[in-house]
Amino acid sequence: MAELPSIANNPDIRFLGKLLGDVIRAYGGETLFKRTEYIRAASVDRHRGITAKDAIDLGLDRLNLDETLDFVRGFMLFSMLANLAEDRQGVAAEKGADVESALKRLADEGIDHDAVMALLDHALIAPVLTAHPTEVRRKSMIDHRNRISELMTLKDAGLAETPEGDAVDEAILRQIALLWQTRVLRKERLFVADEVETALSYLRDVFLPALPALYQRWDRALGARAPSFLRPGSWIGGDRDGNPFVTAESLKIALAKACEAVLGHYLDAVNALGAELSISTGITEADEGVQALAEASGDAAASRADEPYRRALSGIYARLAATHLALTGKPAPRPGPLHGEPYADPQAFRADLVTIARALRGGGGALSSGGALGRLIRAVETFGFHLATLDLRQNSAVLERVVAELLKVSGVEADYLALDESRRVSLLRHELSNARPLSSPFATYSDETASELAIVRAAADAHAKYGPACITQHIVSMAQSVSDLLEVNVMLKEVGLYRPGETPSAAIMAVPLFETIGDLEAAPGIMTEWFALPEAGTITRARGFQEVMIGYSDSNKDGGYITSTWSLSKASTALKPVFDEAGVGMQLFHGRGGAVGRGGGSAFAAIRAQPTGTVQGRIRITEQGEVIAGKYGTRESAMTNLEAMASATLLASLEPDALSPAEAARFGAAMDALSGSAFKAYRDLVYGTEGFRTFFRQMTPIAEISGLKIGSRPASRTKSDRIEDLRAIPWVFSWAQARVMLPGWYGVGQAIAGFADKGLLAEMAQGWPFFAATLDNMEQVIAKSDMDIAERYAALVEDRTLADKVFGAIRGGWQQTHDGLLEITGQSRLLEKHPALDASIRLRLPYIEPLNLLQIELMKRHRAGETDERIGEGILLSINAIATALRNSG
């Protein structure tokens, strides 16, 4: 076996780790510090191979409960600080994942500048923040972490003091001390309003300043001003699927708070511009447009009589303040002395700013560049008055029940649910052909129907108030038919968001979400039927594109890792000719999670690995849980990750196909065979093994995870304990905690072992971006798993015969996957070709093992009936700590 490289010796990790040790000694005492240090050093030695695993006692059993809690917090904080240090060192940044490099690569391949600009003219790239709960850290912890990152940036610049006069090193130590003394666990379960506030903090504090700065960089690289093609989205406050706490009131709160945040940002920016643009007509002439704005402003201050730009901006500020009052019901945070009419829409506000920008450009020289004014104009184009486009989402079963009730109460159809699909479609199309509403203010409806009607009414109000860009999609989960999409339009028609007529229109697009393996296979047929409907075809062609969402999490839980991945790719490929035939652009929305089993891994590699012709400059991707904090926790990390999305989209849209037709056919046939074998192995284990459900619930901390207050959404769709009814997030999260990571690899080893032509698989790994990305992501999961630790979790299963049988199959499958992966990638050990990731993972492993061992012991005591509340707290702390150390585990 090749010699393992030494664990990364990152100077930031050493520096922050030393400060953490100082804090533990100061606030936890010398005894705790020495015990923690002994456990750390002993575990590191075991993992480095300096000491045999069975030759040293970690001393975990000598920790009392209070010390256990402190120890777990200490290891969790080290992992958090190590994550921060690695992010700062660019471990997360990928080579070539920037727009300038992408443009150079395209130019080298003969793709000219005009082709790039033509693509960007109709492009849309949207990271969509969701409330899916895998972020186990409190916002207070994340805030302290981000402050440390800011202070480390000052240290990088060679500054000894902060702008406030604090010594930088002391300020960092103070933040770590605050982390040590901050409660890690939430006392109360999150409400939707809390999730709105958390998402808002990222949109306001990171996206608002980061995106305009990125556009400036991209404009320079392009040599021209690009359209605003990258814009954020959100589900938080609009995603009702399985979450009874999301209501019309949640929707209103999310939209109102977003509007207030973005208008506050604009007010600050206009105020700053007023202070900056001190241009006097005593020195230079003013443009007519600026003079007109100045005269209309009502600013008669003698001190600004010769400063038309300042007077113009005073008027703009007054109008913006009036807009703030009109849209939020609150006065501007810093009301000015002038009064103005509210802006009708963001375009009117932008027009005034452009008038000033043109005047500055007219003079040439240094003032002709964008600067702060250019960034503000870009922000208005990107964020409007809504900040982020908010999606609506509901399950198809709910929508069909609601429409059935509306039809029954209105006397149109007594039993809609009994109709077959063709009769449903015929009835719904008839309803969509006339303007008559189905609902009545004088009728009585079930709570479910009343709630859905309130949602669409709130959406209509939002369109009138904030503009149509505030809500543009209604996603239908578990979409299985054309009627599922028509039902959305029937609901929208009730509030005027769908308008019948000779040329029908829909202000909000109905988007099918295909989630299971069967749904993905049926997707092309459903979309063919959809486009064949005259009204659907008219609407989509007028819009220019139609979105389809594909789900990674449920397809993985349904069919396993490789079958899910391949089914998503095949569905995307099969959809393209359907869209081409309909003359409609295709926009795929990828429902990815943080863990590899839920579509996680490198977004840059994932986008580039999409089938040829399926990106087309338009892509939306969900960002969930701990991934949001990891990718968008700071402006710097956000810019790195957003740029990676943009550059990958350019490459995926414009680069020629990496495979010849013959290679594509040969590789595709091989994938079909692998997928079939892997699917059978996975289904046999998860759904075909008697007692597997019991094994899973006793081996993993799934029951304990339900005690983590990490989101407003229930862990299961129903009260059933069936795997089918469990949400994909706790399913994946539980396996990660137990170090099995089963959703990210199981079945692949058996498939590789049964595939005769290993040389073909090696060829695919070398020459096919899709297969390479699939293996890279799986390799990371295998490297983070640990079958020896997992076996200790399996010992929690009461039925030893069941435990031995199921865990034996898991361990055997893991070994086959490990060996098969090395064989077809030509490596002697895992991550041999990815040394930075290898070092990152191995740095953490010694810190995770003691946490796993403590978690197991605490779970034993908890399940045996011990009632000391510190046991439950310790379990939840260990879940938090392990998730932090593993990263993308949810």
Side-chain angles (χ1 to χ4, degrees), residues 130-137 186 188-195 198 242-243 245-246 625 705-715 729:
T130 82
H132 285 122
T134 59
E135 174 55 84
V136 292
R137 296 171 296 180
R186 299 183 180 98
E188 303 293 336
R189 182 170 290 278
L190 280 176
F191 295 100
V192 178
D194 300 317
E195 294 168 338
T198 299
N243 192 342
F245 307 111
V246 176
I705 284 170
S706 65
L708 268 179
K709 298 171 178 63
I710 59 175
S712 65
R713 185 183 305 271
I729 294 166

Side-chain angles (χ1 to χ4, degrees), residues 659-660 662-664 666-667 757-769 771-772 775 823-825:
L659 302 180
S660 67
E663 286 176 321
R666 195 159 53 97
F667 292 174
D757 190 352
K758 302 295 193 298
L760 173 58
L761 299 183
E763 185 183 348
M764 290 160 59
Q766 286 292 318
W768 189 14
F771 195 56
L775 295 181
E823 182 179 1
I824 63 178
T825 58

Side-chain angles (χ1 to χ4, degrees), residues 28 150 216 219-220 271 392 427 480 728 752 761 855 880:
E150 293 169 359
Q216 285 190 316
D219 290 348
R220 288 193 296 270
N271 183 66
L392 304 180
L427 174 58
Q480 297 175 333
I752 293 174
L761 299 183
Q855 184 183 87
N880 193 306

Side-chain angles (χ1 to χ4, degrees), residues 533-564:
L533 299 179
E535 56 271 48
T538 298
I539 290 169
T540 52
R541 280 187 284 274
R543 186 187 294 117
F545 67 94
Q546 167 70 44
E547 180 169 286
V548 169
M549 186 173 185
I550 51 178
Y552 289 66
S553 303
D554 282 290
S555 61
N556 176 277
K557 185 161 69 73
D558 183 35
Y561 173 61
I562 206 161
T563 300
S564 167

